[in-house]
Amino acid sequence: MDTSETNCINGIVINGDFDKSETKAVDVQLQCNLLTDGQSKFSIKTIKDNPVAMKYYTGFLDYKHFMFFFGILGPAVNHLQSRSSRLTPVNQLLLTLIKLRQAKDDVELSFMFRVSEATVSKTIIKWINFLYFQLKEINIWPSQSTVQQHMPTGFKRLFPHTRVLLDATEIPIQKPSNVNSQSATFSTYKHKNTLKAMIGCTPHGCVSYVSDCYGGSVSDRQIIERSPLCKEASKYFERNDSIMADRGIMVQDLYLLPFPPC
């Protein structure tokens, strides 16, 4: 394209010598302008009266549901408000949930909430740690009767005793500078450095177990052997319970006895 050539989009002049990243940034800005009328910043007030938008951005059914969750986090949320922050704790939570649910880039969130990318990054890190410490004590493992009550009819007909479905997930990470850490986190399956965790869900699709994270070199079996599902099996499983897992997770022998010898 000739550098003298220009394009005009909604009053914004884009020179022909813009690179792709700059054009993408402008596109994102235009999208956010449409979303927020180009003037006001995105906030909980933007979607509080729109249950569809609330569900889309946060996963909560409506504003009341969102605020109920915010309330159970306790007064500690007020300590997350710094003097220099332009975001209230409620909107910090909203920003974090949008990041988790929609995986939006930090630059897009910065446009939406009218803050810097650095503020977006710091807010997300701060809230992820805060939510972890506030919610980690909640017991998400459902009882056998609860699993049975909500089990889909077709699934129940074929696998009536399933208590949990297990599978591993890997999260790519930056390559560590330490050689030993590089080796411990390198995944031969993903061909990159990762963290690996075992996730369990009920037949209905509710997440019921999340293991500790390990380096990507650890096998699925090793994670299960080190988990409470094996070490404290009597607290998690009852008579006739079954575990459904990927065929690559070879742990059948660990559960042959009433109380696994882990």
Side-chain angles (χ1 to χ4, degrees):
M1 178 184 293
D2 185 358
T3 57
S4 62
E5 182 181 353
T6 60
N7 293 320
C8 182
I9 305 178
N10 289 355
I12 299 177
V13 177
I14 305 177
N15 292 323
D17 57 356
F18 259 41
D19 60 27
K20 292 182 179 180
S21 61
E22 291 174 313
T23 303
K24 179 181 179 181
V26 172
D27 289 341
V28 171
Q29 178 69 76
L30 289 172
Q31 293 175 22
C32 293
N33 283 344
L34 291 173
L35 184 64
T36 61
D37 295 328
Q39 301 295 328
S40 60
K41 64 182 180 181
F42 192 90
S43 70
I44 191 64
K45 293 181 180 179
T46 310
I47 59 175
K48 65 177 296 185
D49 297 321
N50 189 335
V52 175
M54 182 66 73
K55 176 72 173 179
Y56 175 77
Y57 283 113
T58 70
F60 290 107
L61 297 177
D62 50 32
Y63 176 71
K64 184 178 180 180
H65 194 196
F66 174 88
M67 291 306 299
F68 174 78
F69 175 75
F70 180 78
I72 67 174
L73 295 176
V77 296
N78 297 318
H79 297 289
L80 300 178
Q81 177 70 50
S82 62
R83 294 182 179 179
S84 59
S85 177
R86 298 174 58 187
L87 296 174
T88 63
V90 169
N91 286 317
Q92 290 180 31
L93 173 61
L94 175 62
L95 183 152
T96 304
L97 292 177
I98 293 175
K99 179 69 173 182
L100 293 174
R101 184 168 175 81
Q102 298 297 333
K104 291 186 178 294
D105 292 335
D106 287 359
V107 63
E108 184 174 357
L109 290 171
S110 72
F111 288 143
M112 291 174 64
F113 287 86
R114 305 296 187 190
V115 295
S116 66
E117 287 186 62
T119 297
V120 170
S121 178
K122 291 178 182 177
T123 299
I124 292 171
I125 293 173
K126 176 173 62 178
W127 269 85
I128 290 295
N129 283 285
F130 174 71
L131 290 173
Y132 169 76
F133 285 107
Q134 291 295 97
L135 303 176
K136 69 176 182 177
E137 301 301 328
I138 296 177
N139 181 16
I140 61 174
W141 184 260
S143 65
Q144 186 185 65
S145 60
T146 300
V147 173
Q148 288 291 323
Q149 179 182 352
H150 297 280
M151 187 178 293
T153 303
F155 191 99
K156 190 171 187 177
R157 184 174 62 253
L158 298 174
F159 312 103
H161 302 297
T162 303
R163 185 69 176 272
V164 65
L165 293 83
L166 294 176
D167 200 4
T169 185
E170 296 189 60
I171 306 169
I173 61 172
Q174 184 177 358
K175 184 178 180 180
S177 57
N178 182 275
V179 176
N180 292 330
S181 297
Q182 290 179 21
S183 176
T185 60
F186 186 79
S187 168
T188 54
Y189 179 69
K190 296 291 186 179
H191 303 292
K192 62 181 68 176
N193 297 90
T194 68
L195 291 178
K196 179 187 284 190
M198 188 64 61
I199 305 296
C201 69
T202 67
H204 185 66
C206 177
V207 175
S208 57
Y209 177 77
V210 180
S211 76
D212 291 335
C213 284
Y214 297 89
S217 64
V218 172
S219 69
D220 298 343
R221 180 187 174 92
Q222 287 175 315
I223 295 178
I224 294 178
E225 285 179 331
R226 300 172 186 178
S227 74
L229 295 182
C230 186
K231 291 184 176 181
E232 304 173 35
S234 60
K235 294 182 180 180
Y236 288 85
F237 300 104
E238 301 175 40
R239 182 180 296 275
N240 296 324
D241 279 346
S242 297
I243 299 173
M244 182 175 290
D246 185 89
R247 67 179 62 185
I249 304 179
M250 308 299 292
V251 293
Q252 294 90 332
D253 59 302
L254 298 179
Y255 293 94
L256 291 177
L257 301 176
F259 303 101
C262 297

